[in-house]
Amino acid sequence: MVLRDVFQGVIVPRAANTVLRVSRYLLRGLWALWPRAAYRFIRDPDLREDFLGTFAPFQLVALLVMWLTLLILGWGLFFYGIRDQLRPHGLSFIAAVYYAGASLLTIGYGDILPHSTLARMMSLVAGASGLAVVAVLISFLFAIFAAFQAREQFVVTIGARSGMPPSGIGLLEVHAHAQLHLDLANVFRDGQAWTAAVLETHLAYPILALFRSSHDYESWVGTLGALMDAASLVLSTVDLDGQTYSGVRGQAKIQYELGRHLAHDFTSYFSFTERLIPDQPTPGIEPHEFQEACERLQRAGYRVRDHDPAWAEFARLRSAYGPQLNALARWLEIPPVQWIGDRSLVVRHQKHITTK
């Protein structure tokens, strides 16, 4: 079972969602407790965020320890079953586990020896499996941190291009003020490569999804949301007429389709996030928030289409990915950014203002 889990979780280059994945149960079990402990015992938001940021490295170490421990225990059960073929006679279960660990880690003290062909061959197999698992786990660590660094490099870049925290409106505003309207096509093109890399690496290694950004108010979910919201605004609201801007709209369309693919695949793999998705698709924002966004875009120099058809199209586009991104952000306990994350406080505040 452990070797199968290591094979599917580290070597197989695609998501493997099976009931026999012990790593999956460890991930779900620990994450169910970690945020609860953070919100119960840590009052300072910055310290709480630091504590939540330690989960993924801790989970990674716990995963490696669990794999090795269960593997040693499994071999210990096997050697205890053939203990009459080991010397000295009458080995206890603890001694069999000790011999399994010595064989698996290729220590070989020599105080327990195999005295049959089966015992000798299986001792060699145990040692080979131990070397193979350790080698695979080392490469696993390098792959995890390389993917994390590549992801965060783009997150920081988008933060500089869209403000802090990142948002789709901010992305469009920054490029308008800098007279870089045409550069939006390059931003969406780079975003497509980043989205595809996140989709590939984070489904192959789900622990990556829980690695939090090294910088405050930034996250990979927030970055994806900023790209998707910017693409949706370009496709539905911002009036970019002429052949010159056709490339921007085309790249925005590809970014939208790829980002929607990622959002649906992630919520499908992390199936327990589906309880956070409403039964009826909604854009996740209110019409007056969209109106405020239109006013900001107009002040930045964009021409904006008529409100009613623009809102209808934007709501349709955002309903296809907004609920999924919100569910991921809430499950990952990511600090809310504009239009992404737990908006319950925002909604309550708006209701209070309306009542007043």
Side-chain angles (χ1 to χ4, degrees):
M1 183 178 65
V2 173
L3 291 176
R4 182 172 182 267
D5 191 24
V6 173
F7 176 75
Q8 290 185 329
V10 180
I11 299 177
V12 176
R14 60 176 297 171
N17 189 356
T18 66
V19 295
L20 296 179
R21 293 282 306 274
V22 291
S23 58
R24 179 176 172 83
Y25 294 115
L26 180 67
L27 175 66
R28 292 183 60 175
L30 284 179
W31 185 243
L33 299 175
W34 207 270
R36 294 180 183 179
Y39 284 100
R40 182 177 180 84
F41 299 110
I42 304 177
R43 301 301 179 187
D44 185 270
D46 293 333
L47 294 178
R48 186 189 305 128
E49 185 66 18
D50 291 340
F51 178 75
L52 291 173
T54 62
F55 174 79
F58 176 82
Q59 162 73 13
L60 195 57
V61 173
L63 181 62
L64 304 184
V65 171
M66 181 196 69
W67 275 339
L68 288 176
T69 301
L70 290 179
L71 200 56
I72 291 173
L73 179 61
W75 279 111
L77 289 169
F78 176 83
F79 287 122
Y80 185 67
I82 61 168
R83 59 188 179 279
D84 57 331
Q85 301 178 38
L86 301 175
R87 298 292 184 275
H89 288 290
L91 291 177
S92 65
F93 174 68
I94 298 300
V97 172
Y98 159 76
Y99 176 70
S103 301
L104 191 77
L105 301 175
T106 65
I107 297 174
Y109 289 112
D111 49 344
I112 300 176
L113 298 174
H115 275 261
S116 69
T117 301
L118 175 63
R120 289 168 179 165
M121 293 301 297
M122 298 310 293
S123 297
L124 291 177
V125 172
S129 66
L131 288 174
V133 168
V134 170
V136 166
L137 294 183
I138 291 174
S139 64
F140 175 61
L141 291 176
F142 279 103
I144 288 291
F145 288 108
F148 171 74
Q149 290 174 350
R151 186 192 78 185
E152 289 304 301
Q153 183 178 3
F154 185 79
V155 168
V156 173
T157 301
I158 289 298
R161 285 179 172 268
S162 63
M164 199 74 65
S167 68
I169 300 174
L171 183 64
L172 297 177
E173 283 181 324
V174 169
H175 285 75
H177 293 316
Q179 298 296 313
L180 293 174
H181 301 81
L182 293 178
D183 198 46
L184 285 169
N186 295 325
V187 173
F188 288 133
R189 189 181 299 110
D190 293 341
Q192 295 159 23
W194 176 81
T195 303
V198 169
L199 181 62
E200 177 68 20
T201 56
H202 288 48
L203 286 181
Y205 307 124
I207 185 64
L208 273 170
L210 288 140
F211 271 87
R212 303 174 87 82
S213 177
S214 305
H215 305 275
D216 294 336
Y217 308 109
E218 292 183 340
S219 67
W220 69 268
V221 177
T223 297
L224 178 61
L227 289 171
M228 294 296 291
D229 288 340
S232 297
L233 287 169
V234 167
L235 295 173
S236 65
T237 308
V238 177
D239 189 6
L240 297 176
D241 290 330
Q243 189 68 24
T244 305
Y245 293 103
S246 61
V248 176
R249 289 194 297 270
Q251 295 298 337
K253 177 65 175 176
I254 298 174
Q255 174 63 60
Y256 172 81
E257 296 295 341
L258 193 57
R260 185 177 62 172
H261 181 194
L262 185 151
H264 282 266
D265 278 11
F266 270 53
T267 51
S268 176
Y269 181 80
F270 297 110
S271 57
F272 35 87
T273 62
E274 293 180 353
R275 60 183 175 81
L276 301 173
I277 301 177
D279 295 332
Q280 297 297 326
T282 62
I285 68 170
E286 301 298 327
H288 70 86
E289 294 178 281
F290 177 75
Q291 178 63 37
E292 292 172 0
C294 292
E295 293 171 358
R296 288 177 57 181
L297 292 175
Q298 287 177 321
R299 289 195 296 269
Y302 290 101
R303 287 183 298 174
V304 176
R305 295 170 183 163
D306 293 339
H307 179 271
D308 291 341
W311 164 248
E313 179 64 8
F314 179 78
R316 183 188 69 82
L317 292 174
R318 201 174 195 281
S319 296
Y321 67 86
Q324 287 77 17
L325 286 186
N326 284 333
L328 285 171
R330 292 175 63 186
W331 179 68
L332 294 171
E333 296 292 343
I334 290 172
V337 297
Q338 187 181 42
W339 300 351
I340 299 293
D342 186 1
R343 295 169 50 79
S344 58
L345 293 177
V346 177
V347 172
R348 287 199 297 269
H349 179 65
Q350 291 170 348
K351 288 182 178 179
H352 176 71
I353 293 176
T354 303
T355 304
K356 300 293 282 188

XYZ file of all heavy atoms in Angstrom, residues 166-210:
343
model
N -3.372 41.591 -5.325
C -3.665 41.646 -6.764
C -5.163 41.596 -7.039
O -5.925 40.986 -6.287
C -2.958 40.391 -7.305
C -2.884 39.459 -6.140
C -2.708 40.333 -4.940
N -5.570 42.247 -8.123
C -6.967 42.216 -8.544
C -7.023 42.423 -10.046
O -6.105 43.000 -10.645
C -7.789 43.293 -7.827
O -7.402 44.578 -8.249
N -8.108 41.964 -10.644
C -8.258 42.144 -12.077
C -8.389 43.602 -12.459
O -7.823 44.055 -13.468
N -9.141 44.382 -11.662
C -9.281 45.807 -11.944
C -7.934 46.506 -11.814
O -7.555 47.341 -12.640
C -10.306 46.440 -10.993
C -11.667 45.774 -11.161
C -10.420 47.941 -11.240
C -12.695 46.226 -10.161
N -7.186 46.160 -10.762
C -5.871 46.759 -10.571
C -4.928 46.458 -11.722
O -4.138 47.316 -12.139
N -5.004 45.245 -12.252
C -4.158 44.879 -13.380
C -4.438 45.769 -14.588
O -3.514 46.266 -15.251
C -4.392 43.403 -13.735
C -3.529 42.815 -14.852
C -2.069 42.812 -14.473
C -3.996 41.399 -15.185
N -5.713 45.999 -14.869
C -6.069 46.857 -15.996
C -5.717 48.316 -15.727
O -5.256 49.034 -16.626
C -7.561 46.718 -16.298
C -8.035 45.327 -16.746
C -9.546 45.316 -16.951
C -7.326 44.886 -18.019
N -5.911 48.763 -14.491
C -5.607 50.156 -14.148
C -4.116 50.452 -14.278
O -3.720 51.482 -14.846
C -6.068 50.447 -12.721
C -7.557 50.656 -12.569
C -7.938 50.955 -11.137
O -7.310 50.385 -10.216
O -8.864 51.758 -10.933
N -3.285 49.566 -13.737
C -1.836 49.794 -13.773
C -1.351 49.903 -15.212
O -0.552 50.787 -15.560
C -1.100 48.664 -13.022
C 0.399 48.738 -13.283
C -1.367 48.767 -11.524
N -1.832 49.042 -16.086
C -1.386 49.076 -17.478
C -1.939 50.288 -18.217
O -1.294 50.808 -19.144
C -1.790 47.783 -18.186
C -0.944 46.607 -17.796
N -1.079 45.969 -16.587
C 0.065 45.982 -18.442
C -0.201 44.995 -16.512
N 0.514 44.977 -17.622
N -3.114 50.760 -17.810
C -3.646 51.969 -18.435
C -2.833 53.196 -18.032
O -2.473 54.030 -18.880
C -5.111 52.152 -18.050
N -2.536 53.320 -16.756
C -1.762 54.471 -16.285
C -0.348 54.481 -16.865
O 0.242 55.548 -17.065
C -1.697 54.468 -14.753
C -3.030 54.706 -14.098
N -3.905 55.671 -14.526
C -3.635 54.090 -13.035
C -4.992 55.658 -13.755
N -4.855 54.706 -12.861
N 0.208 53.289 -17.112
C 1.556 53.194 -17.673
C 1.564 53.183 -19.197
O 2.624 53.004 -19.808
C 2.248 51.939 -17.154
N 0.364 53.371 -19.815
C 0.229 53.361 -21.268
C 0.756 52.041 -21.857
O 1.456 52.021 -22.880
C 1.000 54.543 -21.890
C 0.490 55.909 -21.454
C -0.954 56.166 -21.914
O -1.294 55.938 -23.069
N -1.790 56.629 -20.998
N 0.393 50.951 -21.221
C 0.831 49.624 -21.654
C -0.374 48.749 -22.008
O -0.397 47.562 -21.689
C 1.661 48.958 -20.544
C 3.011 49.601 -20.214
C 3.642 48.931 -19.002
C 3.954 49.510 -21.411
N -1.333 49.329 -22.686
C -2.531 48.569 -23.029
C -2.197 47.322 -23.851
O -2.711 46.234 -23.599
C -3.512 49.452 -23.812
C -3.948 50.672 -23.077
N -3.176 51.819 -23.014
C -5.082 50.934 -22.365
C -3.807 52.741 -22.302
N -4.967 52.236 -21.903
N -1.332 47.485 -24.833
C -1.006 46.360 -25.709
C -0.204 45.284 -24.973
O -0.205 44.125 -25.386
C -0.220 46.845 -26.927
C -0.999 47.739 -27.907
C -0.102 48.197 -29.048
C -2.209 46.999 -28.458
N 0.479 45.681 -23.906
C 1.263 44.706 -23.152
C 0.382 43.724 -22.391
O 0.861 42.712 -21.894
C 2.199 45.422 -22.173
C 3.323 44.525 -21.681
O 3.937 43.838 -22.519
O 3.561 44.485 -20.463
N -0.911 44.028 -22.287
C -1.828 43.094 -21.639
C -1.847 41.742 -22.358
O -2.047 40.701 -21.732
C -3.240 43.682 -21.602
C -3.500 44.782 -20.579
C -4.847 45.442 -20.831
C -3.441 44.210 -19.159
N -1.636 41.760 -23.680
C -1.583 40.498 -24.419
C -0.430 39.634 -23.921
O -0.576 38.414 -23.756
C -1.443 40.764 -25.919
N 0.731 40.252 -23.648
C 1.874 39.497 -23.122
C 1.607 38.997 -21.712
O 2.026 37.896 -21.343
C 3.134 40.371 -23.141
C 3.563 40.736 -24.539
O 3.417 39.945 -25.471
N 4.091 41.949 -24.707
N 0.900 39.824 -20.914
C 0.559 39.403 -19.552
C -0.330 38.165 -19.594
O -0.104 37.187 -18.877
C -0.134 40.544 -18.789
C -0.641 40.057 -17.431
C 0.823 41.711 -18.598
N -1.342 38.179 -20.439
C -2.226 37.022 -20.540
C -1.487 35.809 -21.113
O -1.750 34.675 -20.709
C -3.436 37.361 -21.410
C -4.413 38.289 -20.757
C -4.920 39.396 -21.433
C -4.836 38.078 -19.452
C -5.826 40.250 -20.833
C -5.737 38.935 -18.834
C -6.231 40.022 -19.531
N -0.558 36.042 -22.028
C 0.207 34.931 -22.588
C 1.092 34.298 -21.500
O 1.163 33.070 -21.387
C 1.056 35.408 -23.751
C 1.732 34.266 -24.528
C 2.574 34.780 -25.665
N 1.793 35.519 -26.636
C 1.860 36.829 -26.840
N 2.698 37.566 -26.103
N 1.128 37.424 -27.743
N 1.763 35.140 -20.715
C 2.561 34.607 -19.603
C 1.662 33.938 -18.568
O 2.042 32.933 -17.964
C 3.358 35.733 -18.939
C 4.429 36.306 -19.857
O 4.804 35.617 -20.834
O 4.883 37.442 -19.604
N 0.476 34.515 -18.364
C -0.464 33.909 -17.429
C -0.930 32.546 -17.888
O -1.159 31.646 -17.066
N -1.065 32.361 -19.183
C -1.454 31.048 -19.697
C -0.383 30.000 -19.384
O -0.698 28.886 -18.959
C -1.685 31.128 -21.207
C -2.843 32.007 -21.625
C -2.720 32.460 -23.066
O -2.045 31.822 -23.890
N -3.367 33.562 -23.401
N 0.888 30.355 -19.607
C 1.975 29.417 -19.304
C 2.015 29.106 -17.813
O 2.214 27.949 -17.411
C 3.304 30.003 -19.774
N 1.823 30.135 -16.980
C 1.826 29.925 -15.530
C 0.644 29.071 -15.103
O 0.790 28.161 -14.281
C 1.781 31.280 -14.832
C 1.692 31.206 -13.345
C 2.718 30.990 -12.470
C 0.503 31.351 -12.549
N 2.248 30.994 -11.175
C 0.900 31.207 -11.187
C -0.828 31.585 -12.837
C -0.014 31.301 -10.142
C -1.732 31.683 -11.806
C -1.333 31.539 -10.487
N -0.539 29.338 -15.642
C -1.725 28.561 -15.290
C -1.551 27.102 -15.677
O -1.906 26.195 -14.914
C -2.972 29.139 -15.984
O -3.117 30.518 -15.621
C -4.226 28.383 -15.571
N -1.003 26.862 -16.868
C -0.774 25.488 -17.303
C 0.231 24.787 -16.393
O 0.065 23.600 -16.063
C -0.281 25.473 -18.750
N 1.274 25.509 -15.961
C 2.271 24.913 -15.066
C 1.656 24.589 -13.708
O 1.928 23.531 -13.122
C 3.459 25.861 -14.906
N 0.829 25.499 -13.182
C 0.161 25.245 -11.908
C -0.780 24.054 -12.029
O -0.833 23.178 -11.147
C -0.609 26.501 -11.435
C -1.514 26.176 -10.253
C 0.368 27.600 -11.051
N -1.526 23.993 -13.114
C -2.442 22.881 -13.332
C -1.702 21.557 -13.367
O -2.139 20.564 -12.768
C -3.215 23.104 -14.636
C -4.251 22.059 -15.035
C -5.354 21.963 -13.996
C -4.830 22.387 -16.400
N -0.564 21.537 -14.038
C 0.203 20.295 -14.171
C 0.862 19.891 -12.855
O 0.757 18.748 -12.408
C 1.267 20.470 -15.258
C 2.179 19.273 -15.461
C 1.451 18.079 -16.047
O 0.373 18.260 -16.638
O 1.960 16.954 -15.896
N 1.568 20.827 -12.218
C 2.356 20.483 -11.034
C 1.492 20.279 -9.793
O 1.739 19.379 -8.996
C 3.395 21.573 -10.754
O 2.739 22.853 -10.612
C 4.398 21.656 -11.886
N 0.450 21.101 -9.622
C -0.335 21.040 -8.399
C -1.298 19.863 -8.373
O -1.677 19.405 -7.286
C -1.104 22.343 -8.186
C -0.228 23.494 -7.791
N 0.940 23.806 -8.441
C -0.347 24.420 -6.790
C 1.492 24.854 -7.870
N 0.739 25.242 -6.869
N -1.695 19.363 -9.531
C -2.486 18.142 -9.542
C -1.602 16.912 -9.404
O -2.013 15.905 -8.829
C -3.320 18.052 -10.825
C -4.537 18.968 -10.902
C -5.286 18.751 -12.209
C -5.489 18.736 -9.731
N -0.376 16.989 -9.927
C 0.561 15.879 -9.747
C 1.050 15.820 -8.305
O 1.220 14.727 -7.746
C 1.741 16.027 -10.707
N 1.282 16.988 -7.690
C 1.743 17.068 -6.300
C 0.786 17.974 -5.520
O 1.031 19.175 -5.372
C 3.164 17.630 -6.225
C 4.159 16.919 -7.094
C 4.908 17.612 -8.042
C 4.372 15.543 -6.972
C 5.828 16.963 -8.850
C 5.280 14.891 -7.766
C 6.007 15.604 -8.704
O 6.921 14.959 -9.502
N -0.323 17.446 -5.044
C -1.351 18.287 -4.397
C -0.852 19.078 -3.199
O -1.454 20.098 -2.844
C -2.419 17.261 -3.977
C -2.228 16.109 -4.903
C -0.752 16.045 -5.148
N 0.239 18.629 -2.541
C 0.751 19.360 -1.391
C 1.152 20.782 -1.784
O 1.133 21.704 -0.952
C 1.952 18.610 -0.779
C 2.432 19.289 0.500
C 3.092 18.526 -1.773
C 1.426 19.290 1.601
N 1.481 21.003 -3.074
C 1.866 22.336 -3.527
C 0.746 23.353 -3.345
O 1.004 24.537 -3.130
C 2.274 22.273 -5.000
C 3.731 21.920 -5.304
C 3.910 21.649 -6.786
C 4.660 23.017 -4.840
N -0.492 22.900 -3.458
C -1.616 23.824 -3.311
C -1.650 24.458 -1.929
O -2.177 25.567 -1.755
C -2.931 23.097 -3.586
N -1.083 23.777 -0.927
C -1.120 24.274 0.446
C 0.114 25.083 0.815
O 0.188 25.611 1.926
C -1.288 23.099 1.408
C -2.693 22.501 1.363
C -2.648 21.000 1.435
C -3.542 23.055 2.476
